[in-house]
Amino acid sequence: MKQRKRPGLETMRARHAFLFLAPWIVGMVLFFLFPIVQAVYFSFARIAIEPGRVETSFIGLDNFDYILFKDTQYIDNFLTSLTDLVISVPFILIVSLILAVLLNNRFHGRLFFRALFFLPVIIASGAVLDLYLGAAAADATEIAVNDSVSFSMIDFSQIFAALNLPTSIENYLTVALDNLFLLVWQSGIQIILFLAGLQSIPDLLYEVSHVEGATKWEEFWFITLPMLGRTMFLVIVFTIVENITASNNVLVSQGYNFFANLDYGRGAAALWLYFLVVGVLIAAVLLLYNKVFLKRWN
Amino acid sequence: MAKKHSFRLRFPARRTAGSVRKYTRSRFGNFLFFAFLFLLCAFSVLPLVYSVVTSFKPLDELLRFPPTLLTVRRPTLRNYAALPDLIAGLQIPLSRYLTNSLFVSIAGTVLHVIAATAAAFVLSKIELKHKAGIFLIIQLSLLFNAYTLNIPRYLVYNGMHIIDTYWVYILPAIPSSMGVFLMKQYMDGYIPDALIEAAKIDGANYLRIFSRIIFPNVRPCVLTLALFSFQTIWATIPGGTIFNESLKTLPTVMSTISAGGIARSGSAMAATVILMIPPIVVYLFSQSSVKETMGSAGIKG
């Protein structure tokens, strides 16, 4: 085909295909890839922002040295946000799975309920959420909303104390309950993903297990959960990503503060290190999940 | 309710294909089921109700501690009425901000949907070198927070000479990775390759295949992308790239209001409530499509 003067059909086709990709690729390079490479470089540099241009000078690992050894908050924030990740991801997974199973039942108004749980995804993002939290904080009601929503009438710490739970579990539950409304708010997309996954499970499996005399409980553990393996994978990734990029993440907001003080190099270093560690963590979790669960379930 | 359920229970085997499973449950079970559902529902809806209620509170009720969550004794529209006054200080009419917001949101959404669908079409249905690599980059770029890239992006805008224009809102929204990801998964799941092959044999070129076959068949996904994109652009406050007051959008203005402290918290809530309306309207139009699209995202994991 290459010997011909005029391009052959396949080459033409490939060129046309590339035309379809072009708008998106150009945008991607301009607004994602180039900025990402630039930001990596910035984390090794000192940045001075002047009107219309940015002066950079390479300073090696100084930014990382600063955030790790001189900054008093970075390590703390790092641990806080990792703890937050470890607490909220399983919680969101469980809540959204339970809700999806419930909403998958047949009852009146189920479409209404589904829409209701997805509503926060629509309204509670970006500036609207910030504005909401800002407005709520302005009249000191954020705490009030949080508390009254997470049952301030019932003192959970006393119940936990009475139950003699290990401290770590008690702490976990306390944090989870404190943030309950934010966590439920963050479950919208996960619920939809699980719902879709549930509906792709063939009815046949349940009918067979029904005939064999399995209980609903057994059906859940031996059919529903294994069949949701792939969906679960997607949901885990999505939830982690949403958590580490959220603007109310402690570490991300510390990074923002660096930016706000025009300390871009340090901010970039702080965030890169975080994304790197979390990236490795995600990879480890997913590998483990693949090895342990998906293998067994398939 | 219970009656209906028990009626269905007698025919547990009568399930239509693809329909939802019926659960067998006692009356007490039903009660527990709905109690639990309503409880979780409350978590989901209360903050929304709270912000609507607060936006109707007069000043003295706003200052009360602890605040009443769901009741307002003397509802007032003052918070809403005060909004134009608060904005009047900025010397640009409110309608201008609204038009700006609608214009950039709609233009950005349309362009994003077209670019994402075209790219997904190639990635899903056309043989091309490096396809897998490109898709990997898309998935990786889902991990990045736009804020991290603010300053490098500023440099790009500056190089393109588009600072202080509408392009700052519209252009970065076009290559949003989520859209291509969802659209590709949807096409993989719902558009059979045979359809494309048949069209090719009939002599249709890619443009024709795209406009006549692909686009009409991915409508649910298009609506979903439109929803996500609209809602993202609508809520964006571009940092340090828009200085001209007449080019600013609604959220920028609203956030200056909420920065006004405790006396303005009522108006800030009113602003929040107003800002919530357009995404909800878009959602109502695209609601049924969203689930279908998200469902296809899980097909291949």
Side-chain angles (χ1 to χ4, degrees), chain A residues 13 24 28 31 38 52 104-105 110 116 121 125 127 131 141 149 180-181 185 196 206-207 241 245 256 264 272, chain B residues 20-21 23 25 33 43-44 47 50 67 138 141 143-145 147-148 151 153 155 158 180 231 235 258 295:
Chain A
R13 281 234 150 112
W24 189 82
M28 189 80 182
F31 299 112
Q38 192 89 334
N104 199 28
N105 281 326
R110 111 190 120 109
L116 221 52
V121 179
S125 71
L131 202 54
T141 44
V149 173
L180 204 48
F181 113 86
W185 265 41
Y206 291 105
E207 273 165 31
V241 168
T245 56
Y256 290 4
Y264 195 83
W272 279 122
Chain B
V20 185
R21 272 182 354 106
Y23 275 64
R25 203 184 291 107
F33 169 72
F43 284 105
S44 176
Y50 171 77
I138 295 175
S141 69
L143 290 168
F144 288 102
N145 188 329
Y147 203 102
T148 326
I151 301 225
R153 275 189 180 178
L155 294 177
N158 195 41
V180 181
Q231 169 243 11
S258 73

Side-chain angles (χ1 to χ4, degrees), chain B residues 96-106 234 249-251:
Chain B
R96 177 72 200 229
Y97 294 110
L98 184 67
T99 332
N100 285 344
S101 263
L102 284 176
F103 173 72
V104 295
S105 303
I106 293 173
W234 178 262
T249 53
L250 225 40

Side-chain angles (χ1 to χ4, degrees), chain B residues 73-226:
Chain B
R73 241 173 252 164
R74 291 171 286 109
T76 170
L77 282 172
R78 229 192 33 135
N79 292 326
Y80 289 88
L83 282 182
D85 283 344
L86 290 174
I87 291 159
L90 299 169
Q91 293 170 339
I92 303 278
L94 185 61
S95 59
R96 177 72 200 229
Y97 294 110
L98 184 67
T99 332
N100 285 344
S101 263
L102 284 176
F103 173 72
V104 295
S105 303
I106 293 173
T109 301
V110 169
L111 291 175
H112 164 69
V113 167
I114 293 174
T117 315
F121 165 51
V122 176
L123 292 175
S124 170
K125 297 295 170 205
I126 297 178
E127 289 300 319
L128 196 72
K129 277 181 205 163
H130 314 303
K131 224 167 67 168
I134 295 174
F135 194 57
L136 186 72
I137 293 175
I138 295 175
Q139 285 169 310
L140 284 180
S141 69
L142 283 172
L143 290 168
F144 288 102
N145 188 329
Y147 203 102
T148 326
L149 306 176
N150 250 3
I151 301 225
R153 275 189 180 178
Y154 174 84
L155 294 177
V156 173
Y157 300 144
N158 195 41
M160 294 170 77
H161 300 288
I162 57 166
I163 286 187
D164 236 2
T165 62
Y166 285 130
W167 293 116
V168 175
Y169 298 98
I170 298 173
L171 286 182
I174 294 175
S176 160
S177 318
M178 195 60 170
V180 181
F181 177 74
L182 287 177
M183 187 61 93
K184 180 190 177 283
Q185 298 293 88
Y186 189 87
M187 285 179 185
D188 284 351
Y190 288 97
I191 310 257
D193 289 345
L195 206 62
I196 313 291
E197 283 307 314
K200 263 190 198 165
I201 289 165
D202 285 346
N205 59 19
Y206 283 136
L207 189 64
R208 212 173 165 78
I209 295 176
F210 181 70
S211 61
R212 293 292 168 82
I213 297 175
I214 299 284
F215 217 77
N217 278 308
V218 293
R219 263 198 60 208
C221 195
V222 165
L223 282 175
T224 309
L225 296 202

Side-chain angles (χ1 to χ4, degrees), chain A residues 165-173:
Chain A
L165 289 171
T167 333
S168 55
I169 297 181
E170 192 183 318
N171 287 343
Y172 176 90
L173 286 173

Side-chain angles (χ1 to χ4, degrees), chain A residues 12-14 16-18 20-21 23-25 27-28 30-36 38-39 42 47 49-54 95 98-99 101-108 110-111 113-128 131-132 134-136 138-142 144-145 148-151 180-181 184-185 189 192-193 195-197 199 203 206-207 210 216 219 224 230-231 233-234 238 241 244-247 252 256 259-260 262 264 268 271-272 275 282, chain B residues 1 4-5 8 12-13 15-16 18-25 33-34 36-41 43-48 50-51 54 62 65 67 69 115-116 118-119 121-123 126 128 134 137-138 141-145 147-158 160 171-172 174-178 180-181 200 204 206-207 210 227-228 231 235-237 251 254-255 258 261-262 265 268-269 271-272 275-276 279-280 283 287 290-291 294-295 297-301:
Chain A
M12 286 291 281
R13 281 234 150 112
H16 284 170
F18 195 76
F20 277 87
L21 261 181
W24 189 82
I25 286 193
M28 189 80 182
L30 274 179
F31 299 112
F32 280 98
L33 296 185
F34 177 70
I36 285 173
Q38 192 89 334
F42 281 178
I47 317 293
I49 296 167
E50 279 156 36
R53 60 203 205 89
V54 173
V95 166
I98 292 175
L99 270 171
V101 170
L102 290 185
L103 291 172
N104 199 28
N105 281 326
R106 185 172 275 183
F107 59 90
H108 287 278
R110 111 190 120 109
L111 283 178
F113 275 104
R114 282 181 188 175
L116 221 52
F117 282 110
F118 194 68
L119 211 54
V121 179
I122 309 303
I123 53 173
S125 71
V128 181
L131 202 54
Y132 172 78
D139 56 353
T141 44
E142 189 196 3
V145 174
S148 41
V149 173
S150 61
F151 327 92
L180 204 48
F181 113 86
V184 173
W185 265 41
I189 291 198
I192 298 270
L193 288 171
L195 258 179
Q199 288 174 12
D203 278 346
Y206 291 105
E207 273 165 31
H210 188 73
K216 293 287 162 202
E219 275 186 5
T224 310
R230 291 225 157 265
T231 311
F233 190 85
L234 188 72
F238 189 85
V241 168
I244 62 168
T245 56
S247 55
V252 173
Y256 290 4
F259 296 159
L262 300 181
Y264 195 83
L271 290 179
W272 279 122
F275 288 145
I282 295 178
Chain B
M1 182 72 56
K4 280 250 169 181
H5 268 274
R8 287 197 183 118
R15 288 170 186 159
T16 44
S19 81
V20 185
R21 272 182 354 106
K22 280 156 251 165
Y23 275 64
T24 51
R25 203 184 291 107
F33 169 72
F34 277 100
F36 192 64
L37 201 61
F38 275 113
L39 182 74
L40 283 172
C41 223
F43 284 105
S44 176
V45 175
L46 262 186
L48 185 63
Y50 171 77
S51 47
T54 305
L62 283 171
F65 195 90
L69 197 62
F121 165 51
V122 176
L123 292 175
I126 297 178
L128 196 72
I134 295 174
I137 293 175
I138 295 175
S141 69
L142 283 172
L143 290 168
F144 288 102
N145 188 329
Y147 203 102
T148 326
L149 306 176
N150 250 3
I151 301 225
R153 275 189 180 178
Y154 174 84
L155 294 177
V156 173
Y157 300 144
N158 195 41
M160 294 170 77
L171 286 182
I174 294 175
S176 160
S177 318
M178 195 60 170
V180 181
F181 177 74
K200 263 190 198 165
Y206 283 136
L207 189 64
F210 181 70
L227 168 71
F228 284 154
Q231 169 243 11
T236 301
I237 298 178
M254 296 300 185
S255 66
S258 73
I262 194 160
S265 60
M269 272 302 179
T272 312
L275 275 183
M276 285 174 181
I280 291 180
Y283 176 54
Q287 187 219 353
V290 172
K291 201 185 79 227
M294 299 310 274
I299 287 178
K300 289 176 78 183

Side-chain angles (χ1 to χ4, degrees), chain A residues 181-201:
Chain A
F181 113 86
L182 267 180
L183 290 177
V184 173
W185 265 41
Q186 287 166 8
S187 306
I189 291 198
Q190 286 83 343
I191 294 173
I192 298 270
L193 288 171
F194 272 133
L195 258 179
L198 284 173
Q199 288 174 12
S200 68
I201 302 174

